[in-house]
Amino acid sequence: MNTYKQAVEAFLSAGRHERIELKVILFDMDGVLYDSMPNHAVAWSETMKRHGLYLSEQEVYLHEGRTGDSTIELVCRRQGTSVTPEEIQAIYREKTEAFNACPPVGAMPGSYELLQKVVRDGLTPMIVTGSGQASLLERLNTHFPNIFARERMVTGADVKRGKPDPEPYLMALEKGGLQPWEAIVVENAPLGVEAAHAAGIFTIAVNTGPLPDSLLLDAGADILLSGMPSLCDEWEKIRETVRYVGPNPFPANHRQK
């Protein structure tokens, strides 16, 4: 497996950047900050079944990151079933109700500790999620107080094309006034990794679910770790590698455009 230094060097070479000048960490939410994917898998699978549609719990992990509408449309299209926008809204509403009826989920182990390190390093955490729940910010403030703000979030309600399209991460860069080399993404899903990679952002994958590591690496992950506790433990090494790998920064009037 490549060292962190090799991973950063490969990213810089591929993007023709001089260095990563880190300002922001872009976090996916489900499966990264919250241990919520098992509940999403059950809610999606059972809701689809009630409508004569098939989506296994395992497959939910493959489609994680898509907007709700996109997931429903994909399954319907695969089964040759047509649905109206109103039916899509009803199915997604039912899925949300099924998710809310599941046992409460807590923060992913290691996530709050990592966020504290990120903030102490003077970096800004942002959320990029396919979820469109209205209560999102309230829930984040409960588990991660005073860390996230609505203006530093991109949700499924903000985008037209969800992951794996790069739009969510490109929108986050735009919101933050950032260039791709000024951010790092933390993702757990192949589609999310693919979206971040397509947006040209250095991507750390944390495999917190049942999918094989190869899917995350094939999607374009620059670094792969076994979970959020591992990323929290390795953060200082990664941060220092990012800080020092690469030649001297460009002069202010010679930044990449």
Side-chain angles (χ1 to χ4, degrees):
M1 180 177 179
N2 286 345
T3 65
Y4 299 146
K5 183 173 183 290
Q6 288 172 325
V8 174
E9 287 174 341
F11 169 81
L12 295 176
S13 176
R16 298 183 178 180
H17 306 313
E18 284 258 350
R19 63 169 59 243
I20 298 174
E21 299 183 42
L22 193 56
K23 297 179 180 179
V24 168
I25 310 297
L26 305 175
F27 288 93
D28 179 40
M29 188 180 69
D30 294 301
V32 171
L33 298 181
Y34 286 105
D35 190 13
S36 49
M37 279 309 300
N39 285 1
H40 279 295
V42 170
W44 269 121
S45 182
E46 292 184 352
T47 299
M48 291 293 197
K49 188 184 301 182
R50 284 193 291 270
H51 290 268
L53 302 169
Y54 181 75
L55 181 66
S56 70
E57 292 182 22
Q58 176 84 4
E59 192 182 353
V60 171
Y61 288 86
L62 289 172
H63 297 300
E64 181 189 352
R66 294 187 189 275
T67 63
D69 290 3
S70 175
T71 300
I72 296 165
E73 289 170 350
L74 182 147
V75 174
C76 290
R77 187 165 58 249
R78 183 174 66 193
Q79 294 187 208
T81 302
S82 61
V83 286
T84 66
E86 292 75 19
E87 288 172 325
I88 289 174
Q89 289 179 11
I91 293 172
Y92 187 64
R93 184 166 56 249
E94 188 176 326
K95 180 266 170 182
T96 301
E97 292 170 354
F99 175 80
N100 291 336
C102 291
V105 298
M108 185 68 74
S111 59
Y112 186 45
E113 293 80 4
L114 175 61
L115 285 167
Q116 289 175 309
K117 290 183 178 183
V118 166
V119 172
R120 280 200 301 268
D121 283 346
L123 303 172
T124 299
M126 293 181 67
I127 293 282
V128 183
T129 176
S131 175
Q133 297 172 340
S135 61
L136 196 58
L137 184 56
E138 181 181 346
R139 185 164 68 133
L140 286 165
N141 281 335
T142 298
H143 292 95
F144 311 109
N146 303 315
I147 290 181
F148 295 105
R150 181 63 185 91
E151 62 270 18
R152 295 199 297 269
M153 295 171 56
V154 175
T155 75
D158 298 320
V159 300
K160 294 181 180 178
R161 300 176 302 279
K163 305 168 186 177
D165 193 279
E167 182 192 15
Y169 283 109
L170 293 174
M171 184 176 290
L173 294 177
E174 184 178 356
K175 277 194 171 189
L178 301 164
Q179 298 294 339
W181 63 86
E182 295 177 321
I184 283 178
V185 167
V186 180
E187 266 282 358
N188 72 304
L191 295 186
V193 171
E194 185 178 339
H197 179 74
I201 309 171
F202 189 84
T203 304
I204 299 173
V206 286
N207 194 348
T208 60
L211 300 178
D213 288 349
S214 59
L215 290 179
L216 295 164
L217 292 170
D218 291 346
D222 296 288
I223 292 174
L224 174 65
L225 295 169
S226 60
M228 292 298 283
S230 178
L231 176 54
C232 186
D233 290 342
E234 293 292 301
W235 175 250
E236 286 79 8
K237 294 178 185 177
I238 295 171
R239 180 73 181 95
E240 287 306 295
T241 302
V242 168
R243 190 194 307 271
Y244 291 114
V245 169
N248 291 329
F250 287 119
N253 62 342
H254 286 87
R255 303 291 186 198
Q256 298 102 318
K257 299 298 184 185

